[in-house]
Amino acid sequence: MARFLVLYTGAKMPVLGLGTWKSAPGKVGEAVKVAIDVGYRHIDCAYVYQNENEVGEAIQEKLKEKVVKREDLFIVSKLWCTYHDKSLVRGACKKTLSDLKLDYLDLYLIHWPTGFKAGEDNFPLDETGSVIPSDTDFLDTWTAMEELVEEGLVKAIGVSNFNHLQIERILNKPGLKYKPAVNQIECHPYLTQEKLVQYCESKGIVVTAYSPLGSPDRPWAKPEDPSLLDDPRIKAIANKHGKTVAQVLIRFPMQRNLIVIPKSVTPERIAENFQVFDFELSSSDMSTLLSYNRNWRVCALVSCANHKDYPFKAEF
């Protein structure tokens, strides 16, 4: 199993990264330090996670200790929805770079295709509880993202939570300079995304799978929701390999040639999640896991269901 996938830019992206969504300030720094010590070289961040400053401190500490060099790390961040206006993109990227204490990002993604009203509030809501959209077009946002590459602030650009029609719009954009290198999407056995993965691969776009464990710590979880980590069928596959369910759920996307970014702040689990290069799921394990698809989403961004660019009304 290769430890990297090569982006169309030629950059090598480590197939396993540390996710930092919902990693609390006070814990995320320690998580990043443990991860780097264990061998992680890819850290997935975002402005909206509100913890980039602490992530940056942890990275700096490891660079100072000479545990890693900057060029050995692959750092990803994401442009939040309130910064889609072309004039706001560079400032948003600079803020992330300043918090992370870096001169460049390896990859910068548009976090969602949906633009929100600009301002202090990350989720500006109207009186009915719906997000207030901006009148931006993500093609203009993309042009501003391309300028970040030209300026050297980011090495590669991509998207997240875009459906194939939205990616197609970018690929067909007049005067396109750089196509998306990555589409980061929710992906696990209950949401296998086969059509979207196949589409991205056909266009030379690498796919990153987020919430590979089904994001059990999501704030809106309901008791009746399905739980990947408790699925007896997946436990049986894990037992057969002498591995944990989490390790099987991390290995599964890797064998589909996807990048995967499990989140943890628990040192033992951060280490356990990295022990996935020493076993292989059989092709029948893989087909079995793919057959559990039920199009169940952790991240449906329901407050944006009426947004013109809401991504999940299309089939894929």
Side-chain angles (χ1 to χ4, degrees), residues 12 22 36 86 96 115 134 148 156 173 266 277-278 290 301:
K12 289 175 159 178
K22 306 178 293 357
I36 291 173
K86 222 176 142 180
T96 276
S134 55
L148 302 176
K173 175 184 184 292
T266 313
F277 294 95
D278 58 353
L290 284 168
L301 205 69

Side-chain angles (χ1 to χ4, degrees), residues 23 42 49 88 91 134-135 168 174 189 195 252 260 292 302 306:
S23 298
H42 165 190
Y49 302 163
L88 300 177
S134 55
D135 57 0
E168 194 76 3
K195 285 186 173 168
F252 171 57
V260 61
Y292 298 156
V302 187
N306 297 320

Side-chain angles (χ1 to χ4, degrees), residues 76-79 107-113 138 141-142 145 156-164 166-168 170-171 178-185 196 199-200 205-208 210:
V76 182
S77 187
K78 310 181 196 87
L79 176 80
L107 178 64
Y108 196 44
L109 308 177
I110 299 182
H111 204 149
W112 288 87
F138 60 71
T141 312
W142 189 255
M145 296 284 283
I157 48 177
V159 294
S160 181
N161 301 298
F162 276 52
N163 65 40
H164 89 283
Q166 294 171 324
I167 294 171
E168 194 76 3
I170 293 180
L171 295 177
Y178 304 104
K179 73 177 187 189
V182 168
N183 186 19
Q184 182 179 128
I185 56 177
L196 185 51
Y199 170 81
C200 289
I205 297 169
V206 166
V207 172
T208 299
Y210 76 71

Side-chain angles (χ1 to χ4, degrees), residues 38-238:
V38 162
Y40 289 74
R41 294 295 176 262
H42 165 190
I43 313 288
D44 181 79
C45 313
Y47 169 81
V48 80
Y49 302 163
Q50 300 183 359
N51 56 13
E52 288 191 320
N53 194 43
E54 192 175 325
V55 170
E57 286 168 2
I59 292 170
Q60 274 310 308
E61 197 170 311
K62 289 296 156 189
L63 291 172
K64 284 203 183 79
E65 288 174 13
K66 304 225 183 325
V67 177
V68 278
K69 297 202 281 289
R70 171 65 185 98
E71 55 270 26
D72 300 329
L73 293 173
F74 195 97
I75 309 297
V76 182
S77 187
K78 310 181 196 87
L79 176 80
W80 185 241
C81 305
T82 49
Y83 298 94
H84 277 210
D85 193 291
K86 222 176 142 180
S87 65
L88 300 177
V89 172
R90 187 174 180 275
C93 179
K94 294 282 279 189
K95 166 75 173 130
T96 276
L97 284 169
S98 145
D99 282 349
L100 289 172
K101 293 161 253 315
L102 301 173
D103 341 327
Y104 69 89
L105 293 169
D106 295 277
L107 178 64
Y108 196 44
L109 308 177
I110 299 182
H111 204 149
W112 288 87
T114 48
F116 298 171
K117 187 183 100 150
E120 289 298 292
D121 195 350
N122 288 335
F123 283 93
L125 301 178
D126 64 18
E127 40 304 337
T128 69
S130 293
V131 160
I132 304 169
S134 55
D135 57 0
T136 50
D137 182 329
F138 60 71
L139 290 186
D140 297 325
T141 312
W142 189 255
T143 303
M145 296 284 283
E146 292 178 321
E147 288 166 4
L148 302 176
V149 179
E150 315 234 286
E151 206 185 323
L153 296 176
V154 306
K155 301 273 191 206
I157 48 177
V159 294
S160 181
N161 301 298
F162 276 52
N163 65 40
H164 89 283
L165 299 168
Q166 294 171 324
I167 294 171
E168 194 76 3
R169 270 195 76 210
I170 293 180
L171 295 177
N172 293 329
K173 175 184 184 292
L176 181 74
K177 287 184 183 156
Y178 304 104
K179 73 177 187 189
V182 168
N183 186 19
Q184 182 179 128
I185 56 177
E186 180 180 345
C187 191
H188 45 71
Y190 297 162
L191 184 69
T192 52
Q193 300 268 28
E194 279 145 290
K195 285 186 173 168
L196 185 51
V197 166
Q198 192 181 356
Y199 170 81
C200 289
E201 284 180 347
S202 77
K203 301 295 181 185
I205 297 169
V206 166
V207 172
T208 299
Y210 76 71
S211 298
L213 313 179
S215 196
D217 58 344
R218 64 193 179 281
W220 53 85
K222 297 189 195 72
E224 67 273 16
D225 284 347
S227 166
L228 282 162
L229 289 170
D230 298 314
D231 189 318
R233 304 167 301 179
I234 305 175
K235 277 198 171 125
I237 294 173

Side-chain angles (χ1 to χ4, degrees), residues 264-280:
S264 177
V265 292
T266 313
E268 301 72 37
R269 286 197 193 136
I270 292 169
E272 174 194 307
N273 291 350
F274 202 74
Q275 303 303 314
V276 288
F277 294 95
D278 58 353
F279 78 109
E280 189 160 354

